[in-house]
Amino acid sequence: MQIQPKEFFLLFIKKEQIAKNTYSFFFDRSGHPFDFLPGQYNRVFLELSQKDERGNHRSFTICSAPQQKGILMITTKIVDQASPFKQKFNLLIPGEKVRFFGPMGMFTLPEKSKRPLVFLAGGIGITPFHSMLVSAAASNIKLPITLFVSFSSPSDVIFHDELMRVSQNNSHIKVVYTITHQESAETSWNGETGRINAELLKKYIPDVSAVEYYVCGPSVMVSSMLDMLHDMKIPFQQIREEQFTGY
């Protein structure tokens, strides 16, 4: 299914901090004809008094699922030295009208697949997979899907409890979180540790050569995952990637 991108406006509802430097922004989608595929993104425009080289717009993954008709959710990192755009975005007022253009992107949950899916995410790269997994569960898709996602520390982890519930309620979905710097973390962690690697995949996937891989995250992480899959002799036809830059 193809959806023609277009300009539209939504009202901002609220912002929630969900982890260290990470926030979810909610917009009112109720009664609006806008639709999208799980994994797609929108371009967001703001009126700025000060602009940087990237201008007055940014592209954000739609983190919510199409079935969540009342909301559109964007989850992003906002640090102390944020860009003028991120500063303005962080100060949105409930009821404020925001201009969007979309949806766009081909990094989406496949409508049909002959192979199980394995999602490999680094940090905020989990956002398209959040949309895909929530959508797959809502549609009761029987295709086996396994998400592997790494974060630096427990304080950076997002969507853990929600996606664990999705996994517990759907036997076709598995979710594996791993922490790469637990030794310096201030809070404890009982799950997997270390970077995503071939050994971790083989621990949870019966046949690592018989699945399709979707990779999303910072460019360094994506490159590392592609190198790993190459070393595992995974054909490039079974790999899709999306790199997050400048978020």
Side-chain angles (χ1 to χ4, degrees):
M1 179 178 65
Q2 290 188 347
I3 302 175
Q4 187 68 28
K6 60 183 179 181
E7 182 181 82
F8 61 98
F9 293 84
L10 297 178
L11 298 181
F12 175 63
I13 301 173
K14 64 178 180 177
K15 173 185 73 175
E16 293 182 356
Q17 183 169 8
I18 61 172
K20 179 182 178 182
N21 298 327
T22 308
Y23 301 82
S24 287
F25 296 79
F26 297 84
F27 298 85
D28 186 2
R29 183 173 159 242
S30 59
H32 199 281
F34 167 75
D35 207 354
F36 61 95
L37 301 176
Q40 288 191 298
Y41 66 91
N42 287 323
R43 190 169 292 137
V44 179
F45 295 82
L46 297 177
E47 295 295 331
L48 302 177
S49 57
Q50 177 186 2
K51 301 177 184 178
D52 58 20
E53 67 278 1
R54 298 175 65 191
N56 69 334
H57 59 83
R58 294 291 189 275
S59 294
F60 291 107
T61 297
I62 307 167
C63 199
S64 48
Q67 294 89 340
Q68 296 172 295
K69 298 295 186 181
I71 64 164
L72 184 148
M73 182 175 71
I74 291 171
T75 299
T76 188
K77 296 181 74 69
I78 298 181
V79 297
D80 291 339
Q81 301 300 319
S83 66
F85 182 96
K86 282 288 188 74
Q87 292 179 39
K88 180 66 178 291
F89 194 68
N90 194 38
L91 295 175
L92 285 174
I93 301 170
E96 189 169 349
K97 183 182 292 187
V98 177
R99 179 162 65 105
F100 293 78
F101 182 83
M104 295 175 285
M106 302 299 293
F107 190 79
T108 59
L109 182 68
E111 296 180 3
K112 296 180 181 179
S113 177
K114 296 181 180 179
R115 300 185 182 93
L117 304 179
V118 170
F119 298 157
L120 307 178
I124 201 69
I126 192 176
T127 52
F129 299 135
H130 178 274
S131 178
M132 294 181 196
L133 290 177
V134 173
S135 180
S139 300
N140 198 26
I141 291 177
K142 303 301 183 184
L143 181 69
I145 305 175
T146 304
L147 167 68
F148 295 88
V149 56
S150 66
F151 289 91
S152 293
S153 71
S155 63
D156 297 311
V157 169
I158 58 176
F159 305 135
H160 178 275
D161 293 347
E162 178 188 3
L163 293 184
M164 285 302 175
R165 286 194 297 270
V166 168
S167 176
Q168 292 166 3
N169 294 330
N170 191 313
S171 61
H172 298 278
I173 295 175
K174 291 190 291 187
V175 176
V176 181
Y177 279 73
T178 184
I179 298 300
T180 58
H181 293 90
Q182 174 57 27
E183 67 281 357
S184 60
E186 298 179 356
T187 56
S188 61
W189 175 256
N190 297 320
E192 298 284 355
T193 58
R195 300 184 184 279
I196 299 171
N197 55 37
E199 289 69 29
L200 183 63
L201 299 187
K202 293 173 183 177
K203 180 177 178 179
Y204 292 92
I205 307 299
D207 185 354
V208 295
S209 65
V211 302
E212 290 188 14
Y213 292 90
Y214 282 57
V215 187
C216 187
S219 57
V220 173
M221 177 269 178
V222 171
S223 295
S224 175
M225 292 296 96
L226 295 180
D227 289 342
M228 177 192 71
L229 295 175
H230 176 75
D231 292 341
M232 292 168 60
K233 311 299 182 185
I234 305 299
F236 73 91
Q237 297 93 335
Q238 291 172 223
I239 304 171
R240 299 189 64 185
E241 63 177 283
E242 181 97 325
Q243 296 188 10
F244 279 19
T245 58
Y247 54 81

